[in-house]
């Protein structure tokens, strides 16, 4: 396989899903901040998470790569979630070469987990996140990027991302278009639906 083998520790239970793998690797990253995650596997109906980083508070994570992974029937695909009113940084994360089938929400960045966005004023930063060579079919929503106005998400980069659907407007669980992007700056190159760039463009309109 293209990826490295999952980290194994005798004092931890075996990995059974990609979500469990990433939770374990998150603990590894907190011990060693400059870590790279390169699983090569199939994530089939993992309970809830997909390839989820977090939820985080007062943590500094960087240099994470999720690659060569198939998602089938998960509730999320590429996901980063942090808690409000926290310090820390999540940066240099890459999701690449992914295939998603019947994933509810392929992309999700949420700085208010598990709340509703009413608790603000965090100093935690999310930046330099790349999504590249990703294909999704049968999804229910496209994705959401809900970031704190006091610490906006920066440099979200999408390249060669295709969500098979007829519409061009980006949509999410809470609405569509501008509703799906809040205080998040990013770019999309060869992305369908094309409405992602408009979503980013207007994400600071309520600042």
């Amino acid at each position: 396989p293209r990826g490295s083998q999952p980290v194994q520790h005798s004092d931890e239970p075996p990995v059974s899903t990609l979500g469990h793998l990433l939770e374990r690797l998150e603990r590894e990253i907190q011990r060693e901040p400059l870590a790279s995650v390169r699983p090569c596997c199939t994530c089939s109906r993992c309970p809830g998470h997909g390839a989820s980083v977090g939820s985080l508070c007062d943590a500094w994570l960087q240099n994470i790569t999720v690659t060569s992974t198939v998602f089938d029937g998960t509730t999320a695909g590429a996901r980063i979630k942090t808690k409000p009113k926290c310090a820390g940084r999540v940066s240099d994360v890459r999701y690449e070469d992914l295939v998603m089938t019947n994933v509810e929400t392929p992309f999700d960045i949420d700085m208010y987990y598990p709340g509703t966005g009413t608790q603000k004023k965090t100093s935690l930063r999310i930046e330099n996140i790349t999504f590249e060579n990703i294909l999704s079919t049968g999804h229910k929503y496209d994705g959401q990027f809900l970031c704190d106005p006091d610490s906006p998400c920066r440099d979200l980069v999408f390249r060669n991302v295709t969500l098979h659907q007829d519409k061009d407007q980006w949509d999410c669980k809470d609405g569509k278009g501008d509703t799906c992007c809040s205080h998040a700056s990013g770019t999309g190159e060869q992305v369908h639906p094309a409405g992602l760039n408009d979503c980013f463009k207007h994400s600071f309109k309520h600042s």
Side-chain angles (χ1 to χ4, degrees):
R2 291 178 52 190
S4 59
Q5 294 299 314
V7 177
Q8 297 289 343
H9 295 279
S10 59
D11 59 343
E12 297 195 40
V15 171
S16 59
T17 70
L18 181 59
H20 295 155
L21 170 63
L22 290 177
E23 288 172 4
R24 175 176 300 178
L25 287 169
E26 181 185 313
R27 292 193 290 273
E28 282 296 304
I29 292 165
Q30 290 174 346
R31 299 185 190 109
E32 173 53 64
L34 299 178
S36 180
V37 181
R38 301 188 68 86
C40 177
C41 59
T42 298
C43 183
S44 181
R45 302 194 179 280
C46 304
H49 299 295
S52 179
V53 177
S55 56
L56 300 175
C57 183
D58 300 331
W60 284 258
L61 306 183
Q62 62 183 9
N63 296 344
I64 302 171
T65 299
V66 178
T67 187
S68 306
T69 303
V70 177
F71 300 83
D72 183 12
T74 57
T75 58
R79 187 181 191 192
I80 299 174
K81 51 183 180 175
T82 66
K83 297 179 180 180
K85 298 184 178 180
C86 292
R89 183 171 181 248
V90 180
S91 65
D92 303 303
V93 179
R94 293 185 61 86
Y95 291 94
E96 61 182 21
D97 301 329
L98 309 180
V99 176
M100 305 183 191
T101 303
N102 299 323
V103 171
E104 182 175 312
T105 302
F107 305 104
D108 185 5
I109 294 179
D110 187 353
M111 295 186 74
Y112 304 110
Y113 183 86
T116 59
T118 57
Q119 293 179 302
K120 303 184 187 297
K121 297 192 180 302
T122 188
S123 63
L124 189 148
R125 293 184 293 163
I126 297 176
E127 56 193 11
N128 195 21
I129 314 297
T130 300
F131 308 88
E132 187 165 9
N133 300 331
I134 299 175
L135 174 66
S136 176
T137 58
H139 47 275
K140 188 172 182 181
Y141 309 106
D142 299 328
Q144 62 182 7
F145 311 95
L146 306 179
C147 305
D148 194 303
D150 291 290
S151 186
C153 297
R154 303 288 186 187
D155 300 320
L156 309 182
V157 178
F158 284 72
R159 297 191 191 99
N160 192 28
V161 173
T162 300
L163 280 64
H164 278 302
Q165 58 195 44
D166 294 331
K167 62 184 185 307
D168 281 334
Q169 189 173 40
W170 195 266
D171 70 7
C172 55
K173 187 176 293 186
D174 294 328
K176 56 187 177 181
D178 300 348
T179 305
C180 305
C181 298
S182 176
H183 302 94
S185 65
T187 59
E189 179 181 346
Q190 294 183 311
V191 174
H192 179 80
L196 175 62
N197 278 317
D198 287 336
C199 188
F200 285 141
K201 182 179 179 180
H202 298 105
S203 71
F204 290 87
K205 66 179 183 179
H206 300 301
S207 297

